[in-house]
Amino acid sequence: GDLQAGAISWDKPLFGARRMLFQRCVEELVGQTIGARQVMNVIRICEGSLPMPPLGTKMREAVDSVRTFVSTVFPEEQTQQQLYSEIIQGRFSGLV
């Protein structure tokens, strides 16, 4: 894609450094939408280990944004769940 135009394309399947970059992009999306302090909560909601927030809240907006972004690269539910688990394990190792 054309980064200057805001169009990013991802290799499929993602692995290695590109997968880590995608995970960081997911975290950045959360940070831009609701704030860096909420990254873990949003990812846990996406993963299903925390309940879905009510419609119309900033938290729900962040969750919906992440799910949409992730589904463009990982259309299968199982691979999305794996990605969310990897983000939690990688970012919050020792804190979970």
Side-chain angles (χ1 to χ4, degrees):
D2 182 3
L3 189 56
Q4 297 293 355
I8 300 174
S9 60
W10 298 93
D11 293 336
K12 295 179 184 179
L14 287 180
F15 59 92
R18 288 190 174 109
R19 189 173 181 103
M20 291 298 297
L21 176 61
F22 184 79
Q23 291 173 358
R24 299 297 81 80
C25 287
V26 170
E27 293 175 348
E28 182 67 25
L29 176 61
V30 175
Q32 291 175 359
T33 305
I34 194 169
R37 290 181 169 203
Q38 295 298 329
V39 170
M40 186 161 109
N41 290 331
V42 170
I43 301 302
R44 284 189 167 179
I45 292 167
C46 292
E47 181 197 32
S49 60
L50 289 177
M52 186 65 74
L55 285 171
T57 62
K58 201 72 165 149
M59 183 67 79
R60 180 63 176 259
E61 179 185 338
V63 169
D64 290 345
S65 294
V66 167
R67 292 174 108 187
T68 300
F69 180 61
V70 169
S71 70
T72 62
V73 177
F74 298 97
E76 302 85 19
E77 182 72 25
Q78 182 179 6
T79 55
Q80 292 173 21
Q81 295 302 315
Q82 182 182 8
L83 180 79
Y84 298 137
S85 294
E86 288 172 8
I87 292 172
I88 291 169
Q89 292 170 5
R91 179 178 174 100
F92 304 107
S93 182
L95 300 176
V96 181

